[in-house]
Amino acid sequence: MAPMLRLYNTLTRQKAVFAPIDPSHVRMYACGPTVYDAAHIGNARPIIVFDLLFRLLRHLYGPAHVTYARNVTDVDDKINARAAARGITIRELTDGTLAGFHHDIRRLGVLMPEDVNVAGARPRFVEPRATDHIAEMIAIIEGLVAAGHAYVAAGHVLFDVPSMPDYGGLSKRPLDEMEAGARVEVAPYKRSPLDFVLWKPSKPGEPSWPSPCGLAEPGRPGWHIECSAMSWKHLGQTFDIHAGGIDLIFPHHENEVAQSRCCFSTDVMANVWLHNGFLQVEGEKMSKSLGNFITIRDVLKDWPGEVARLAMLKTHYRQPIDWTLRGLEEASRTLERWYGIVGDAPAGTIPAGVLEPLSDDLNTASALAELHRLDDPGSLKAGANLMGLLGETRSAREEGSIRAAGVDVSRVEALIEARRAARAAKDWAASDRVRDELLAMGVAVKDGKDGTTWSVAP
Ligand code: AMP
Ligand code: ZN
């Protein structure tokens, strides 16, 4: 029998057994990237961690019984400014950035919609974009105004925080503390300093849409409303799991909860809230000014995506993670060893020693420790596959690394043939010359009982 899944819930500050609202349909939402520029390696953390959870849920509940929505924020100040500076539309900018993002995360072993969706069936993985959900945002905003939870002021629509008696239940911050934080620069049209923007007027040149609530001027949505709209559209008024980075708890997730619950009159927006810890680089906060800002693409220039994925999963998702060269080197050595054990063997049964810790709030460190102990190729491969690792056969991987190293395979084969001929003629000097030429190309040859094999130095 499959183990019970337990998850740590930010809403209750407790680990509890996971029970989906609809036992035959698990629904999960994760806040995805703001696509204005190449994503950094910190952004890869929620992508990888919640991909692992998606894989685990699919295993536990069956692939047809899990729906995952991970949104794309494709309108915000940074996007608008950059598109304007380049003289292109925000759609042109975000289409390009999103394509690059997809290319990068695919190499991190992240499942993509096209990997899991089945023609003619309910989609299992959707990647909704904010600008495709303006109508849903407007419906929620108008619902909130009608219910007395939002008001129009100076061309804006604002959420009326004091109208929600239990506002703040997710972040559990005292009201006065939140107010003090918000009071730094309070717009004059806000009734309470905590009130937040649902809709605002667009400045000249900014993208705009017809405004809700009879406002004459066109405008654009605030940030938080997009996730209430997209989760509603794709998962329903209430759903099972809502995930994102720990920085999003307040105000983003708190405000999503306020919008969705007050619009739909529900007790919860999502039952379980998961938050990943932050990533820092070599012991320091990652930032452009410190010069230690690393994009996913930077990492992939030096390392196979699988190495980066394993390096990310070694730390429990809720802990802070220190991204180091040492961690990547270690992950690389581990994968070398595992590929050596697995060879071209097919996956066997997922070992309990991997499934159980993963089902315990994604205890990846224990699951990986079990993989280290395994010496049966089939179990090792099955356990690793569940974590999105050891996805290739040894042969395919060697082929891949040969291509990656830029080695001309037909040239290598010709040289090996020449070396074989030289050895057959007992021309050792010629044979050594050929071997040296191969070594200079980064190719090592080995003569074994089954003939000559060659590999590219890692
Ligand atoms: P953003 O594009 O900044 O909205 O972030 C997209 C996702 O990445 C959100 O879930 C953030 O919480 C998460 N995130 C951003 N920076 C980091 C970091 N340094 N470490 C871990 N997660 C991060
Ligand atoms: Zn969100």
Side-chain angles (χ1 to χ4, degrees), residues 320-364:
I321 186 172
D322 195 18
W323 189 257
T324 61
L325 185 58
R326 225 183 107 231
L328 286 158
E329 286 167 348
E330 226 174 79
S332 175
R333 280 194 300 273
T334 300
L335 282 169
E336 269 323 301
R337 194 171 77 77
W338 287 348
Y339 270 114
I341 296 172
V342 167
D344 289 343
T349 313
I350 294 170
V354 173
L355 191 53
E356 270 164 24
L358 288 183
S359 303
D360 182 11
D361 196 34
L362 300 180
N363 187 343
T364 47

Side-chain angles (χ1 to χ4, degrees), residues 29-32 71 73 223-224 226-228 242-243 248 252-253 256:
Y29 185 90
C31 291
N71 80 288
T73 300
W223 171 31
H224 317 302
E226 67 177 68
C227 289
S228 286
H242 194 313
L248 299 183
H252 184 53
H253 288 167
E256 282 186 38

Side-chain angles (χ1 to χ4, degrees), residues 31-34 40 42-43 45-46 223 244-248 276-280 286:
C31 291
T34 306
H40 60 66
N43 298 135
R45 194 173 193 197
W223 171 31
I246 194 164
D247 57 318
L248 299 183
N276 66 270
F278 248 47
L279 173 145
Q280 53 173 21
M286 178 168 51

Side-chain angles (χ1 to χ4, degrees), residues 30 32 47 68-72 101 105 110-112 125-128:
I47 298 287
Y68 179 24
R70 185 186 64 214
N71 80 288
V72 173
F101 176 74
I105 64 168
V110 171
L111 287 177
M112 303 296 278
F125 185 173
V126 285
E127 213 180 13

Side-chain angles (χ1 to χ4, degrees), residues 40-98:
H40 60 66
I41 191 65
N43 298 135
R45 194 173 193 197
I47 298 287
I48 291 174
V49 162
F50 302 123
D51 171 72
L52 175 62
L53 178 61
F54 181 45
R55 287 169 181 269
L56 179 64
L57 289 167
R58 284 164 58 82
H59 175 74
L60 295 175
Y61 289 86
H65 302 281
V66 183
T67 303
Y68 179 24
R70 185 186 64 214
N71 80 288
V72 173
T73 300
D74 63 354
V75 54
D76 91 324
D77 289 341
K78 285 189 219 137
I79 291 172
N80 300 345
R82 183 160 297 209
R86 294 199 188 157
I88 54 176
T89 63
I90 57 166
R91 192 75 187 202
E92 283 163 339
L93 174 72
T94 57
D95 274 353
T97 323
L98 183 59

